[in-house]
């Protein structure tokens, strides 16, 4: 779904130091390595700044709080421009990845006292079009993940297994089903449209409340498109008129085929999806860096 291969960055930020990525090492007893005990965030810097940077950083802080990790993220905002500069990305569109783990400690499941968190951040060139014209194909898989999918943890084994299952079936994405209801994709949120009404799973512990998901809901309200945060039944895929994905890199992407049901052939796209795609593209023409959701 991305439009450009992601390469290794020239320089990365590790704690307070920007160094060549080949020189960067994480101690083997870092809890992020041992347990996936950390939180991550992904943002895109475009012409007018980092798209909804404040909202992304707020979510990072909120998720760190959810896992009981005390870390002041305010300095990250100040470090982003220097990281972009050191990678010659001052004027290019870039993908920015941020990760904070609980740091180095003897291997015990319980949290260590007074941990010293590890900060890792990188930026790479990333071409992203104003409108994602891809028509996505997705498979449907059981949601075998844990009960706290609202936490943006670096421990993503369930998501990666599902995405690999999609890859092996020549699909772009895997969509989870829990208790007969569609929850989300392996790295995207999902929406359905029926008779002009937009439906999406409520922001509970079974999905990650995506920044783009929040933007889509706000755009629906701005354009007087009714929206319900109600889970869609997996047995009713064919009853939807349209379906689409949302995410930081996928933006808003129409789903052409989901499971055994085909919504569109060729390059077709539903009218509600197309309206939201254009509204999203218009929003990207403005400076949203300090906007919150």
């Amino acid at each position: 779904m991305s439009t450009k291969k992601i390469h290794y960055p020239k320089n990365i930020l590790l704690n307070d130091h920007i160094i060549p990525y080949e020189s960067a090492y994480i101690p083997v007893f870092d809890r992020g390595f041992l347990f996936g005990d950390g939180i991550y965030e992904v943002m895109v810097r475009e012409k007018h700044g980092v798209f909804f940077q404040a909202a992304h950083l707020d979510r990072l802080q909120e998720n760190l709080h959810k896992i009981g990790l005390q870390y002041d993220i305010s300095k990250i905002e100040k470090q982003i421009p220097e990281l972009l500069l050191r990678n010659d990305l001052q004027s290019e569109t870039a993908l920015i990845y941020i990760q904070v783990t609980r740091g180095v400690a003897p291997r015990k499941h319980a949290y260590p006292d007074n941990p010293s968190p590890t900060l890792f951040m990188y930026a790479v060139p990333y071409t992203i079009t104003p409108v994602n014209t891809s028509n996505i194909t997705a498979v449907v898989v059981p949601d075998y993940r844990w009960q706290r999918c609202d936490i943006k943890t670096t421990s993503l084994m369930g998501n990666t297994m599902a995405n690999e299952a999609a890859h092996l079936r020549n699909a772009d994405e895997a969509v989870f089903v829990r208790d007969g209801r569609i929850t989300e994709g392996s790295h995207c949120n999902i929406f359905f449209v029926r008779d002009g009404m937009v439906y999406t799973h409520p922001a509970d512990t079974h999905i990650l409340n995506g920044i783009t998901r929040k933007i889509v809901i706000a755009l629906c309200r701005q354009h007087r498109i009714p929206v319900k945060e109600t889970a869609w039944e997996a047995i009713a895929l064919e009853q939807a008129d349209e379906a689409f994905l949302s995410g930081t890199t996928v933006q808003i992407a129409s789903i052409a085929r989901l499971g055994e049901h085909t919504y569109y052939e060729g390059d077709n796209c539903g009218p509600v999806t197309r309206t939201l795609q254009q509204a999203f593209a218009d929003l990207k023409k403005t400076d949203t860096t300090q906007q919150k959701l």
Side-chain angles (χ1 to χ4, degrees):
M1 287 178 280
S2 63
T3 57
K4 186 174 182 179
K5 183 178 179 181
I6 299 176
H7 299 279
Y8 290 112
K10 182 168 64 174
N11 294 293
I12 64 97
L13 183 140
L14 185 59
N15 294 320
D16 293 325
H17 305 287
I18 296 178
I19 56 178
Y21 96 88
E22 300 97 331
S23 303
Y25 294 95
I26 301 290
V28 293
F29 281 97
D30 191 285
R31 287 179 62 91
F33 174 70
L34 292 172
F35 297 113
D37 185 0
I39 299 298
Y40 77 100
E41 193 61 58
V42 180
M43 309 184 292
V44 174
R45 201 286 302 276
E46 299 193 61
K47 179 180 178 181
H48 298 287
V50 178
F51 192 61
F52 281 92
Q53 174 178 284
H56 279 282
L57 293 180
D58 278 355
R59 183 173 64 175
L60 176 60
Q61 188 76 81
E62 176 187 350
N63 275 262
L64 289 168
H65 177 74
K66 286 181 179 181
I67 66 168
L69 181 49
Q70 301 301 315
Y71 187 84
D72 182 5
I73 65 160
S74 61
K75 66 178 182 180
I76 293 177
E77 183 175 359
K78 300 174 184 177
Q79 293 167 319
I80 290 173
E82 180 64 20
L83 181 64
L84 293 170
L85 176 65
R86 295 282 295 275
N87 284 283
D88 300 320
L89 294 172
Q90 306 97 306
S91 58
E92 286 192 58
T93 301
L95 182 142
I96 301 167
Y97 178 89
I98 308 166
Q99 176 175 303
V100 181
T101 75
R102 207 175 301 272
V104 180
R107 189 185 184 280
K108 291 184 178 181
H109 283 67
Y111 298 163
D113 294 330
N114 304 313
S116 180
T118 299
L119 169 64
F120 165 55
M121 182 163 59
Y122 72 84
V124 288
Y126 194 79
T127 300
I128 193 163
T129 58
V131 174
N132 187 348
T133 57
S134 302
N135 257 357
I136 302 302
T137 59
V139 299
V140 179
V141 298
D143 197 343
Y144 38 67
R145 302 170 301 164
W146 69 328
Q147 299 290 330
R148 292 304 308 272
C149 299
D150 59 305
I151 299 176
K152 199 170 176 67
T153 171
T154 58
S155 182
L156 290 171
M157 198 70 242
N159 299 66
T160 57
M161 288 172 63
N163 200 259
E164 176 64 10
H167 174 74
L168 292 174
R169 292 161 65 179
N170 295 314
D172 302 296
E173 175 63 303
V175 171
F176 290 114
V177 178
R178 189 190 296 254
D179 298 327
R181 297 177 177 87
I182 301 292
T183 52
E184 61 183 346
S186 71
H187 61 296
C188 301
N189 292 116
I190 186 168
F191 294 77
F192 294 90
V193 183
R194 172 73 182 272
D195 296 330
M197 173 81 74
V198 173
Y199 297 83
T200 193
H201 196 286
D204 57 18
T205 58
H206 290 159
I207 72 162
L208 179 71
N209 191 7
I211 299 300
T212 311
R213 176 188 180 275
K214 293 181 181 181
I215 294 170
V216 168
I217 291 172
L219 290 174
C220 283
R221 290 170 177 155
Q222 289 174 20
H223 290 263
R224 299 187 179 182
I225 299 170
V227 58
K228 278 188 177 181
E229 294 188 62
T230 301
W232 195 265
E233 299 286 338
I235 62 172
L237 296 181
E238 72 282 356
Q239 295 180 22
D241 303 318
E242 308 172 39
F244 61 89
L245 301 173
S246 71
T248 295
T249 55
V250 72
Q251 303 186 96
I252 299 174
S254 173
I255 300 177
R257 184 174 179 83
L258 178 56
E260 300 302 316
H261 182 68
T262 299
Y263 292 102
Y264 314 109
E265 297 285 356
D267 297 328
N268 293 327
C269 177
V272 173
T273 304
R274 194 175 302 281
T275 295
L276 290 170
Q277 285 179 329
Q278 187 56 57
F280 189 82
D282 292 341
L283 182 61
K284 287 176 28 174
K285 296 175 185 177
T286 64
D287 184 357
T288 61
T289 306
Q290 297 304 323
Q291 286 192 37
K292 300 190 177 187
L293 294 166

